[in-house]
Amino acid sequence: MSFLKKVVLITGASSGIGAETAIHLAQLGASLSITGRNKHSLDKVAEQCGQPKPFVIIGDLTNENDVKNIIDLTIKHYGKLDVLVNNAGIFELGSIETASLEQYNNIFNVNVRSIFQLTVLAVPHLIKTKGNIVNISSVVGLLPLRNSLIYCMSKAALNHFTRCVALELGLRQVRVNAVNPGLVKTHIFRNCEMNQEQLKIFFEKLKEWHALGRNGDALEIAKTIAFLASDDASFITGVTLSVDGGMHIMSPALPSFV
């Protein structure tokens, strides 16, 4: 599998799955454009990617001008775009009784609205290269989960967005797929109102939610993203692929996060 001469844009690349994906694709020869809000963290990821270093763009996906700049600067720097990896996302706890409209807006602005805008801007360039899109969703976009209502809704929306856009762009030879990870220990959980000890217990407990009896690793997700983005997956589109250690075959109503 090679990404030589392929330009790949990855959002949310400063940590977790986005960072691992950047490092893995760099090893496969990709020319990378990586973006996020934390310059220090992005620079660290860029160092780990080796030479040639990725093109680093600092931006907030909830800012429409920043989103436009991410695409414009990538095209200005590389002249084209082959792969868009929509990885950035946020997670917050909340049920129908506790969640607020503000929380709804926060989550949907990052997890859905920004992806819509970035994809709209990227599509003309992907049509030119017959490129592809990989959206990073979640297994809870397929399964209900207590106390995570808005997050689950946002990922369900992203799954269907993936299918609809794949259908619309199929005849233009642009593939669109999504990865639905199970539990992977990343910084996305830092805003879920648990301290370090509670998070440790939480991650240990969640091993039981997976048929394989363990949580996932960010590199496992990164390798799946690379496969779907590669020419090896040239006949795959509209797929929402669960990479979740069998979480999707467990109880149809998973326990609450807290």
Side-chain angles (χ1 to χ4, degrees), residues 48-119:
Q48 291 176 274
C49 288
Q51 296 294 334
K53 276 189 180 181
F55 180 52
V56 174
I57 306 172
I58 311 302
D60 182 348
L61 291 179
T62 63
N63 182 304
E64 291 184 21
N65 290 329
D66 282 6
V67 174
K68 186 176 185 301
N69 282 338
I70 288 167
I71 292 293
D72 290 346
L73 291 174
T74 298
I75 298 302
K76 183 177 180 181
H77 186 78
Y78 288 115
K80 66 168 186 168
L81 179 65
D82 295 285
V83 181
L84 170 62
V85 179
N86 283 312
N87 168 73
I90 60 172
F91 170 82
E92 293 181 29
L93 294 170
S95 70
I96 192 62
E97 295 180 291
T98 63
S100 66
L101 189 58
E102 180 183 10
Q103 186 184 54
Y104 176 93
N105 288 334
N106 289 341
I107 294 174
F108 265 75
N109 280 344
V110 177
N111 293 5
V112 181
R113 189 176 188 273
S114 72
I115 290 174
F116 172 80
Q117 185 191 1
L118 196 64
T119 302

Side-chain angles (χ1 to χ4, degrees), residues 22-64:
I23 294 165
H24 183 60
L25 289 177
Q27 293 170 349
L28 296 174
S31 298
L32 295 173
S33 180
I34 60 175
T35 184
R37 292 179 295 181
N38 189 312
K39 184 180 187 304
H40 176 70
S41 296
L42 279 176
D43 286 342
K44 284 176 63 178
V45 172
E47 288 289 340
Q48 291 176 274
C49 288
Q51 296 294 334
K53 276 189 180 181
F55 180 52
V56 174
I57 306 172
I58 311 302
D60 182 348
L61 291 179
T62 63
N63 182 304
E64 291 184 21

Side-chain angles (χ1 to χ4, degrees), residues 184-217:
V184 177
K185 188 176 179 181
T186 71
H187 289 312
I188 197 172
F189 296 102
R190 61 190 163 194
N191 294 323
C192 65
E193 302 170 5
M194 286 186 276
N195 61 38
Q196 288 302 310
E197 184 59 29
Q198 289 172 320
L199 279 171
K200 183 178 179 181
I201 295 170
F202 164 74
F203 286 124
E204 190 63 30
K205 177 184 176 183
L206 262 62
K207 291 179 181 178
E208 301 172 5
W209 292 16
H210 303 81
L212 293 180
R214 67 174 178 85
N215 298 327
D217 179 85

Side-chain angles (χ1 to χ4, degrees), residues 73-258:
L73 291 174
T74 298
I75 298 302
K76 183 177 180 181
H77 186 78
Y78 288 115
K80 66 168 186 168
L81 179 65
D82 295 285
V83 181
L84 170 62
V85 179
N86 283 312
N87 168 73
I90 60 172
F91 170 82
E92 293 181 29
L93 294 170
S95 70
I96 192 62
E97 295 180 291
T98 63
S100 66
L101 189 58
E102 180 183 10
Q103 186 184 54
Y104 176 93
N105 288 334
N106 289 341
I107 294 174
F108 265 75
N109 280 344
V110 177
N111 293 5
V112 181
R113 189 176 188 273
S114 72
I115 290 174
F116 172 80
Q117 185 191 1
L118 196 64
T119 302
V120 166
L121 296 172
V123 160
H125 304 288
L126 294 171
I127 289 173
K128 290 178 183 177
T129 60
K130 293 183 170 58
N132 70 85
I133 301 166
V134 182
N135 296 319
I136 313 309
S137 184
S138 169
V139 68
V140 300
L142 307 170
L143 298 173
L145 181 66
R146 294 184 182 93
N147 203 32
S148 307
L149 173 63
I150 300 172
Y151 180 75
C152 292
M153 290 170 61
S154 73
K155 293 304 185 179
L158 182 55
N159 285 338
H160 208 50
F161 175 77
T162 298
R163 290 184 284 264
C164 289
V165 179
L167 183 61
E168 292 174 353
L169 296 181
L171 293 179
R172 310 300 291 273
Q173 304 307 307
V174 175
R175 299 184 299 107
V176 188
N177 294 293
V179 177
N180 290 275
L183 195 283
V184 177
K185 188 176 179 181
T186 71
H187 289 312
I188 197 172
F189 296 102
R190 61 190 163 194
N191 294 323
C192 65
E193 302 170 5
M194 286 186 276
N195 61 38
Q196 288 302 310
E197 184 59 29
Q198 289 172 320
L199 279 171
K200 183 178 179 181
I201 295 170
F202 164 74
F203 286 124
E204 190 63 30
K205 177 184 176 183
L206 262 62
K207 291 179 181 178
E208 301 172 5
W209 292 16
H210 303 81
L212 293 180
R214 67 174 178 85
N215 298 327
D217 179 85
L219 182 57
E220 292 175 307
I221 311 303
K223 289 179 177 179
T224 305
I225 294 167
F227 167 69
L228 288 175
S230 75
D231 292 340
D232 291 352
S234 59
F235 203 50
I236 299 175
T237 195
V239 164
T240 50
L241 180 60
S242 294
V243 186
D244 63 358
M247 194 171 170
H248 69 282
I249 56 175
M250 300 296 278
S251 169
L254 295 170
S256 171
F257 266 110
V258 293

